[in-house]
Amino acid sequence: MKAKRFVTNTLCHILLAILSIIWVLPIFYVILTSLRAEGGSYKSYIWPRGFTLDNYLNLFKPTSQIDFFRWFTNTFVIAVISTIIAAFFVLSVSYCMSRLRFKMRKPFMNIALILGMFPGFMSMIAVYYILKGLGFLETGTLKQVALILVYSGGAGLGFYMAKGFFDTIPKTIDEAAYIDGATKWQTFIHVTIPMSKPIITYTLITTFMGPWVDYIFAKVIMGNDTKYYTIAIGLWTMLEKEYVEYFYTQFYAGCVLISIPIAILFLITQRCYVEGLSGAVKG
């Protein structure tokens, strides 16, 4: 039995090692290419003949075609504002669905569940014409506001995960707060939210990732207004046939840079997630 267990564990470790290598290889290739001194695309070799940091430095030297810093700033502002609004919508709706009982509650939950089965880009054309009719596509600043509305507007429908978490919090805690004179809003802010770090963490990560990596909605709304591009549109611009030979390695440098905020967000929220779980266990 010990020999059999040893063989099984060894095979599992070998399999995990192979899968981890397969997972890391694309990331390793992106970092190598971002440091490659030779310009141009599609080399016959993987390991660069020379290394340089110029690909990163050149990203912050704006040209008539490429303005990475502006695109990065546009995306960061849109993503942060959208995350705050969307997280508030999700947590508020999920708390109401979990704690309150009102007419049409179950039909609303069923409708939200059905709508969540359809991909968002199915409504892309309709959303575009609604925004155009409301005048949100007149200027670049209004287009950015339109993006924030698109990213945060439908966030409340994704309340199922947070509702499931709020269902696990005993209602007796809310009742104790009501006895002490707290309103529903005060109970939500001062009692429930401090106990909900794990689901807040999950909500922040998911709502931030959407605006940060989205290309389709951003491209439809922004059109050819280069000055107000998000980072996803800007990076795709670098791969267009007239620019790809010159900006290919800078494209990979940009990919590395845009992964840094996501990594930082994950590390920060992971700590909150662990603290929230440990707090729940102690309670």
Side-chain angles (χ1 to χ4, degrees):
M1 291 297 293
K2 290 183 178 180
K4 186 177 180 180
R5 191 180 300 114
F6 175 78
V7 172
T8 303
N9 291 337
T10 303
L11 291 176
C12 289
H13 282 89
I14 292 174
L15 178 61
L16 290 175
I18 294 173
L19 291 176
S20 64
I21 291 173
I22 294 174
W23 183 78
V24 169
L25 273 178
I27 302 175
F28 184 67
Y29 175 77
V30 169
I31 296 175
L32 274 183
T33 308
S34 70
L35 296 171
R36 194 177 72 192
E38 312 93 84
S41 61
Y42 307 117
K43 300 297 182 182
S44 58
Y45 50 88
I46 296 178
W47 193 265
R49 305 286 172 81
F51 293 90
T52 182
L53 292 176
D54 289 343
N55 297 323
Y56 290 90
L57 299 176
N58 291 335
L59 280 176
F60 296 95
K61 297 178 181 178
T63 65
S64 57
Q65 303 89 9
I66 304 299
D67 194 345
F68 181 84
F69 182 75
R70 177 181 290 274
W71 296 340
F72 189 95
T73 304
N74 292 341
T75 310
F76 185 79
V77 171
I78 292 172
V80 168
I81 297 176
S82 300
T83 297
I84 295 172
I85 298 175
F88 176 77
F89 284 167
V90 171
L91 296 175
S92 299
V93 173
S94 59
Y95 182 78
C96 291
M97 293 296 105
S98 174
R99 289 296 191 263
L100 305 182
R101 297 296 182 267
F102 51 89
K103 198 172 183 179
M104 295 296 292
R105 174 178 172 273
K106 287 188 177 179
F108 174 80
M109 293 176 62
N110 293 332
I111 292 172
L113 180 63
I114 294 172
L115 291 177
M117 296 178 181
F118 295 93
F121 63 81
M122 289 183 63
S123 61
M124 181 171 55
I125 302 302
V127 170
Y128 174 82
Y129 281 108
I130 290 173
L131 293 173
K132 186 175 182 181
L134 294 175
F136 279 101
L137 305 182
E138 300 297 330
T139 64
T141 303
L142 287 176
K143 289 179 180 179
Q144 292 179 326
V145 174
L147 273 181
I148 294 174
L149 293 177
V150 170
Y151 293 140
S152 59
L157 291 177
F159 64 86
Y160 269 90
M161 185 71 72
K163 176 191 174 298
F165 181 87
F166 288 137
D167 287 342
T168 64
I169 300 177
K171 293 183 180 180
T172 53
I173 297 178
D174 293 11
E175 294 170 357
Y178 298 152
I179 293 174
D180 290 338
T183 62
K184 286 183 171 60
W185 173 254
Q186 290 172 333
T187 303
F188 173 63
I189 294 297
H190 299 293
V191 178
T192 306
I193 290 299
M195 298 175 60
S196 307
K197 286 183 179 180
I199 197 60
I200 293 174
T201 297
Y202 171 81
T203 304
L204 289 175
I205 292 176
T206 53
T207 53
F208 183 84
M209 287 290 292
W212 191 257
V213 301
D214 177 61
Y215 172 82
I216 298 177
F217 268 118
K219 181 60 178 176
V220 168
I221 293 176
M222 288 300 174
N224 295 320
D225 202 344
T226 309
K227 182 180 178 182
Y228 296 94
Y229 273 1
T230 60
I231 198 66
I233 310 174
L235 289 177
W236 179 255
T237 302
M238 294 182 180
L239 295 181
E240 293 180 353
K241 60 181 180 180
E242 59 266 34
Y243 304 132
V244 65
E245 287 297 323
Y246 184 73
F247 293 113
Y248 186 77
T249 51
Q250 293 184 35
F251 164 81
Y252 281 94
C255 292
V256 174
L257 290 179
I258 65 170
S259 67
I260 294 176
I262 299 174
I264 293 174
L265 176 65
F266 178 78
L267 292 174
I268 294 174
T269 53
Q270 184 186 40
R271 182 180 61 183
C272 296
Y273 183 81
V274 173
E275 289 176 356
L277 290 181
S278 61
V281 172
K282 291 177 182 178

